[in-house]
Amino acid sequence: MTKPVVIVGASHAAVQAIETLRREGYAGPIVLVGDEPHLPYNRPPLSKKFLAGEMPVERLLLRSPGFYAQARVETRLGVRVTALELSSRRLRLDDGGEIGYEKLLLCVGSRPRRLEVPGATLDGIHCLRSIADVQAIRAELVRGRRLVVVGAGYIGLEAAASARQLGLDVTVLETAERPMARVVAPEISSFYLRRHEREGVRVLCNQAVTAFKGTGRVEAVACGAGEFPADLAIVGVGILPDVTLAAAAGLRCENGVWVDEHCLSSDPQVYAAGDCTNHPSIRYGRRVRLESVDNAVEQGKTAAANICGRPARHEHVPWFWSDQYEVKLQIAGLSEGYDQTVLRGDPDSGHFALYYLRGGELLAVDAVSSPKDFMTGKRWIGELKCPDPALLADPAVDLKTI
């Protein structure tokens, strides 16, 4: 019997890889292994509509069960891979089973970064990464309760917005000098700080958490500014690529599973896609690790095409988004290394964009409730455009004429 293509990780990248494998004509067996009991599901709504109780579990699924039956995919859910043996092309599972593979695709994603401070294991302290995480948090989101969110990145601020809209008293503690400092410029941080404060959320920056206080259950969160009462806490201080399996097997791992532009790892039979990968960005001329649904989907396509023998390169302008209250932030490109920013529009209007340039060339754009700026900027980034900053800064000038 022909060994299957095995995909480890029930994720966006996995679903796209399955679709591409079948579309490219691969007729052999496919096995999908996932350590959660759920079919692949959409993670971005976890901190937004699902957390707020506006979306049932069923609507999170990326594809219905019928999709996997039609694609002739064997699903092994609620099972964790404990070992990868490269020499024998075999996976060992925590249920005692094992699976041989012809080709292997790792779509294992990432895991939440933990805070190593006193009291971090108290009840009532949550991460937000999975359906189970959110179900546990939702049980505690009672109007009037005091929530402390640690971390003012995407996840922390999205969770803060959802909780505030449910009537909780919300405080956000951030160790950096401003919200979302890792991914956006000060102008964007300032806009979101004001937006959260307008909703009654307290956001304190330059505050490293030193301890969680409580007897059995969290009662307060301590930082330089003092202690903040907490009936529950959500920790969103970033994620780490899950390289546990790959590193133990001897695959090259450096800030993720090291892959080339074809999504091929250091082993010729093993590919990787999604948040777990460190890959070369053809557009930016450097290696990157991206935490992005879009990147996972595109890498899933690329890996599957190469598995089928059709050479394909992952070359794509990355993009990201965040929904907080009624505001949608859409980011295209990577702003690292910019030497100039151009503000287009008035932040007080709630609809504006910030363009990042280096040597006149457009690197990235942050569009706040401005889809036209996002779509145009994304196209310009891919085309290596150098827009005139003066024209770009004038919202009366049609983008099409620049």
Side-chain angles (χ1 to χ4, degrees):
M1 180 179 177
T2 303
K3 287 184 177 181
V5 169
V6 177
I7 302 172
V8 179
S11 63
H12 286 270
V15 170
Q16 187 58 60
I18 291 167
E19 289 188 343
T20 304
L21 284 168
R22 293 309 189 205
R23 188 173 60 248
E24 291 286 337
Y26 174 72
I30 300 173
V31 179
L32 173 64
V33 182
D35 59 5
E36 292 185 65
H38 309 284
L39 288 168
Y41 59 89
N42 196 11
R43 292 186 185 272
L46 291 180
S47 56
K48 299 180 274 287
K49 288 189 175 182
F50 188 61
L51 180 62
E54 299 173 3
M55 179 181 288
V57 170
E58 296 74 23
R59 284 186 56 200
L60 288 174
L61 296 182
L62 293 171
R63 299 291 185 276
S64 70
F67 163 80
Y68 303 94
Q70 185 175 358
R72 306 185 310 284
V73 176
E74 178 188 349
T75 56
R76 302 283 297 273
L77 303 176
V79 179
R80 184 172 60 86
V81 178
T82 58
L84 163 58
E85 298 176 357
L86 299 176
S87 58
S88 61
R89 298 189 200 174
R90 187 163 296 277
L91 297 166
R92 298 196 182 278
L93 310 177
D94 66 355
D95 64 0
E98 54 182 51
I99 306 173
Y101 63 86
E102 185 64 32
K103 299 286 185 181
L104 176 65
L105 175 57
L106 298 175
C107 303
V108 292
S110 52
R111 52 188 172 81
R113 187 188 298 272
R114 304 289 178 174
L115 271 183
E116 301 295 336
V117 299
T121 60
L122 288 170
D123 289 344
I125 300 174
H126 304 274
C127 291
L128 201 166
R129 187 65 182 166
S130 68
I131 286 176
D133 291 337
V134 178
Q135 288 173 331
I137 295 170
R138 278 173 55 177
E140 300 189 36
L141 292 182
V142 178
R143 178 177 292 274
R145 298 192 82 183
R146 298 163 299 184
L147 167 66
V148 173
V149 177
V150 183
Y154 290 149
I155 293 297
L157 292 181
E158 288 168 0
S162 297
R164 186 67 190 126
Q165 289 176 305
L166 290 173
L168 277 78
D169 178 271
V170 182
T171 299
V172 178
L173 303 176
E174 168 57 47
T175 188
E177 62 181 10
R178 55 187 175 84
M180 299 190 291
R182 187 171 65 89
V183 292
V184 301
E187 294 90 334
I188 304 295
S189 294
S190 295
F191 170 82
Y192 276 93
L193 178 61
R194 294 193 302 273
R195 186 68 189 84
H196 279 274
E197 289 178 340
R198 199 170 86 203
E199 295 292 335
V201 176
R202 291 179 295 277
V203 182
L204 285 78
C205 295
N206 296 307
Q207 298 298 324
V209 169
T210 56
F212 294 97
K213 302 291 186 72
T215 304
R217 182 179 177 83
V218 66
E219 298 171 9
V221 182
C223 63
E227 293 187 7
F228 293 86
D231 298 303
L232 70 155
I234 296 175
V235 177
V237 291
I239 57 178
L240 298 170
D242 192 345
V243 299
T244 306
L245 186 66
L251 292 175
R252 183 178 182 182
C253 296
E254 296 177 30
N255 186 30
V257 181
W258 189 278
V259 298
D260 64 13
E261 66 270 26
H262 307 292
C263 296
L264 182 64
S265 76
S266 57
D267 183 281
Q269 309 304 324
V270 180
Y271 292 78
D275 289 9
C276 68
T277 66
N278 179 320
H279 66 276
S281 169
I282 295 171
R283 167 62 180 81
Y284 292 97
R286 66 177 188 273
R287 297 194 69 88
V288 298
R289 188 179 67 79
L290 302 178
E291 300 160 9
S292 159
V293 169
D294 168 64
N295 180 69
V297 168
E298 293 301 322
Q299 284 194 314
K301 289 180 186 177
T302 300
N306 283 289
I307 288 172
C308 291
R310 180 177 67 80
R313 297 201 312 170
H314 177 59
E315 44 185 331
H316 187 68
V317 174
W319 63 276
F320 318 82
W321 81 92
S322 176
D323 293 317
Q324 299 169 40
Y325 308 109
E326 81 294 345
V327 182
K328 178 176 285 292
L329 170 63
Q330 293 173 291
I331 298 175
L334 302 175
S335 61
E336 182 181 342
Y338 71 91
D339 56 28
Q340 181 182 8
T341 59
V342 178
L343 179 65
R344 181 177 175 86
D346 181 5
D348 288 341
S349 73
H351 303 272
F352 68 101
L354 191 72
Y355 290 79
Y356 301 80
L357 297 92
R358 181 177 62 202
E361 180 184 301
L362 183 62
L363 294 180
V365 59
D366 297 345
V368 177
S369 298
S370 184
K372 188 172 183 179
D373 281 288
F374 169 71
M375 294 302 296
T376 303
K378 184 172 181 288
R379 177 167 52 82
W380 285 350
I381 293 164
E383 296 172 351
L384 309 182
K385 295 294 187 183
C386 297
D388 184 320
L391 295 176
L392 195 57
D394 187 351
V397 176
D398 191 329
L399 288 171
K400 294 178 181 178
T401 68
I402 298 178

